[in-house]
Amino acid sequence: MYVVLPKILPPSKSSLSGLFLKNFSTQKNSCIFELSEVMKPTPATLGLIIPSYNEETRLPGVAFQNFLAKNPNTLLIFVDDGSQDNTLVVHEQLRSKFPDKVIVLAQGNNQGKAEAVRRGVRHVISETSIAQLGFLDADLATSLEEGFRIGQQ
């Protein structure tokens, strides 16, 4: 990623190192900065946040796997809301099968569905380049395909 800014004061490389700077050069009236990617690169164009709490026995794992295999441009963001069962383990197993398509976030204690969704949204905004975002319940009362279809409109 390159950023061109007006040349006001010549920067020192050390003063810019906290900005993920790889290199910079100066020209007549501008500075050209080459920055490391700050956001996690992802080919995904749609992110679906799935908050969950004690869903170990209700998570339709096969449905998630089939969906991910068919939809390479979708990222699933599971937010475990302090589950007391093995929900987090189930999420991690799915992430290990699809490391570029699944993000797992874990909240230490139960804070409610709204907080889990909010945490997922904040993570996506700060860590990815996804522009379209939605959320679905973990039991897939609304199917992944329906969430995908709505996200494509």
Side-chain angles (χ1 to χ4, degrees):
M1 174 188 304
Y2 292 90
V3 177
V4 179
L5 298 173
K7 185 176 178 183
I8 299 170
L9 295 172
S12 71
K13 191 165 185 170
S14 62
S15 70
L16 297 170
S17 61
L19 299 174
F20 300 94
L21 180 71
K22 287 172 73 176
N23 197 3
F24 79 92
S25 62
T26 57
Q27 293 180 353
K28 245 183 187 181
N29 297 318
S30 64
C31 295
I32 300 173
F33 300 91
E34 182 182 0
L35 303 175
S36 298
E37 287 295 321
V38 175
M39 294 186 283
K40 180 181 176 183
T42 177
T45 56
L46 173 66
L48 294 173
I49 297 169
I50 303 166
S52 57
Y53 178 72
N54 291 341
E55 300 281 350
E56 174 188 12
T57 61
R58 291 184 294 274
L59 283 169
V62 173
F64 288 119
Q65 290 179 39
N66 290 340
F67 177 80
L68 288 169
K70 293 176 187 174
N71 297 285
N73 293 328
T74 303
L75 182 67
L76 299 183
I77 305 95
F78 290 95
V79 183
D80 180 75
D81 192 27
S83 295
Q84 301 299 309
D85 62 3
N86 287 319
T87 298
L88 189 56
V89 172
V90 174
H91 293 327
E92 289 294 344
Q93 289 170 344
L94 189 60
R95 186 186 59 77
S96 71
K97 291 179 184 175
F98 298 92
D100 295 332
K101 297 180 182 183
V102 174
I103 293 174
V104 177
L105 304 173
Q107 303 199 135
N109 55 7
N110 183 261
Q111 299 174 41
K113 180 178 178 179
E115 182 59 28
V117 171
R118 187 184 75 79
R119 179 162 183 217
V121 169
R122 290 181 60 154
H123 180 83
V124 168
I125 289 170
S126 67
E127 300 293 329
T128 75
S129 57
I130 292 175
Q132 294 178 301
L133 188 59
F135 77 92
L136 300 172
D137 289 339
D139 65 0
L140 299 181
T142 300
S143 71
L144 290 160
E145 291 75 19
E146 183 67 7
F148 180 80
R149 187 187 67 75
I150 292 168
Q152 297 303 305
Q153 294 180 354

